[in-house]
Amino acid sequence: MYKSFLIDLDGTLYRGEELIQDAPSFLAWLRDEGFSFAILTNNSTRTPQQVAEKLLRMGFYVTAEEIFTSSLATAEYLKTKHAGKRIYPIGEEGLIEALQKAGYSLVDGENPQDVEVVVSGLDREVTYEKLARGALAIRAGAAFIATNGDKALPTERGFLPGAGSLAGLLSITTGVDPTVVGKPSKIIVEMALNRFGFKQKESLIIGDNLHTDILAGKNGGLDTLLLFTGVTTQEEAETSTIRPTYSFSSLTEVRQWLMRKG
Ligand SMILES: [Mg+2]
């Protein structure tokens, strides 16, 4: 029986600005039943407070402490591999705050030799100069870490360049592939289990995307639950080689299933 859940955000609890109707009551039910959960998102741009505020506005009761972004996962991962090193970040508030709160000294990258780690996330105000500094630092020997590999960012305008596209540009320029922290990497799963004290065998990862959520669960050794409320369609799931442990069409069905399991 599962005791803890790692739950995706976009496509699982909401779609952009649109609430998925049964999601707030699902989380409330988990809480009432004594299950543990954490929200696991690849989005590196927002701080946990900003994510919690959006969820609150939509009718969820979730605290900032229950939210784990790819930026937080990156900061945790850095502690294990690059403790105390000087970091040149390409990213927004969510990344900068996570690195600062973890105690890292951030450098402006003007001198490539000064940079020990380049961390790239989504930066919607990126400039050629920012990317140039990242590329020069990587060429000078800095480690290269990407918060997540999402190539496209779904928006009201359509699919815009994602964090993975910016990391890809640095990768093409330098010939160095980044260590990717976010889903589908097992790193974010391991960091989340560690941070929240969840046990691998008692945890289930829930999400709408076969190629990120479900693959991350598989890579991290967790059972997986695919929801058809977002990116992946039932048709795609049936023909894919990536097989989730479970699949459901709504969180209401998931709740009914968990109740039957007792
Ligand atoms: Mg999703």
Side-chain angles (χ1 to χ4, degrees):
M1 188 55 191
Y2 303 107
K3 291 184 177 161
S4 45
F5 301 87
L6 297 176
I7 304 171
D8 174 53
L9 204 47
D10 210 338
T12 300
L13 300 184
Y14 57 66
R15 282 179 289 262
E17 292 304 316
E18 176 203 356
L19 175 70
I20 293 178
Q21 288 301 330
D22 55 359
S25 62
F26 178 74
L27 290 193
W29 178 79
L30 284 182
R31 213 186 276 289
D32 287 347
E33 294 294 313
F35 292 111
S36 303
F37 66 85
I39 308 298
L40 199 62
T41 173
N42 264 8
N43 188 319
S44 68
T45 61
R46 283 193 236 120
T47 66
Q49 287 77 12
Q50 290 167 334
V51 175
E53 278 161 24
K54 175 172 178 174
L55 287 172
L56 211 59
R57 258 200 328 272
M58 290 182 134
F60 292 90
Y61 173 67
V62 174
T63 65
E65 288 70 34
E66 291 168 318
I67 290 155
F68 201 58
T69 67
S70 63
S71 288
L72 289 180
T74 299
E76 296 283 325
Y77 173 71
L78 285 165
K79 287 183 197 166
T80 69
K81 298 278 177 193
H82 301 283
K85 290 190 181 164
R86 289 184 305 276
I87 295 172
Y88 172 63
I90 298 174
E92 297 186 18
E93 193 181 353
L95 179 62
I96 306 302
E97 187 195 272
L99 295 172
Q100 283 172 338
K101 281 195 168 170
Y104 285 95
S105 53
L106 306 184
V107 294
D108 66 8
E110 201 177 339
N111 174 9
Q113 310 296 336
D114 211 31
V115 180
E116 292 176 289
V117 185
V118 173
V119 176
S120 91
L122 179 59
D123 185 344
R124 286 168 291 184
E125 289 181 356
V126 73
T127 60
Y128 189 85
E129 180 59 23
K130 269 195 200 177
L131 292 165
R133 290 181 184 194
L136 290 170
I138 294 165
R139 278 205 180 269
F144 178 21
I145 291 166
T147 57
N148 58 306
D150 298 59
K151 294 182 185 78
L153 182 72
T155 73
E156 294 72 33
R157 293 166 65 192
F159 288 95
L160 304 184
S165 301
L166 299 186
L169 188 143
L170 291 174
S171 179
I172 290 167
T173 307
T174 59
V176 178
D177 288 329
T179 298
V180 179
V181 171
K183 299 176 276 188
S185 168
K186 68 174 181 183
I187 297 174
I188 191 169
V189 176
E190 286 171 354
M191 296 301 128
L193 294 179
N194 187 42
R195 161 80 164 252
F196 295 99
F198 295 169
K199 294 197 178 75
Q200 190 188 39
K201 292 292 164 220
E202 295 175 351
S203 301
L204 182 67
I205 189 164
I206 299 179
D208 67 298
N209 190 327
L210 264 184
H211 301 279
T212 54
D213 305 304
I214 304 307
L215 201 51
K218 290 189 164 296
N219 289 336
L222 258 60
D223 282 354
T224 57
L225 190 154
L226 176 66
L227 280 170
F228 299 119
T229 49
V231 169
T232 301
T233 62
Q234 198 158 353
E235 295 69 43
E236 191 192 344
E238 278 161 10
T239 56
S240 175
T241 54
I242 307 165
R243 313 295 300 178
T245 319
Y246 314 100
S247 56
F248 289 100
S249 56
S250 71
L251 286 170
T252 300
E253 280 188 10
V254 176
R255 167 164 42 172
Q256 287 162 352
W257 167 69
L258 285 170
M259 286 169 80
R260 281 199 306 276
K261 274 177 84 87

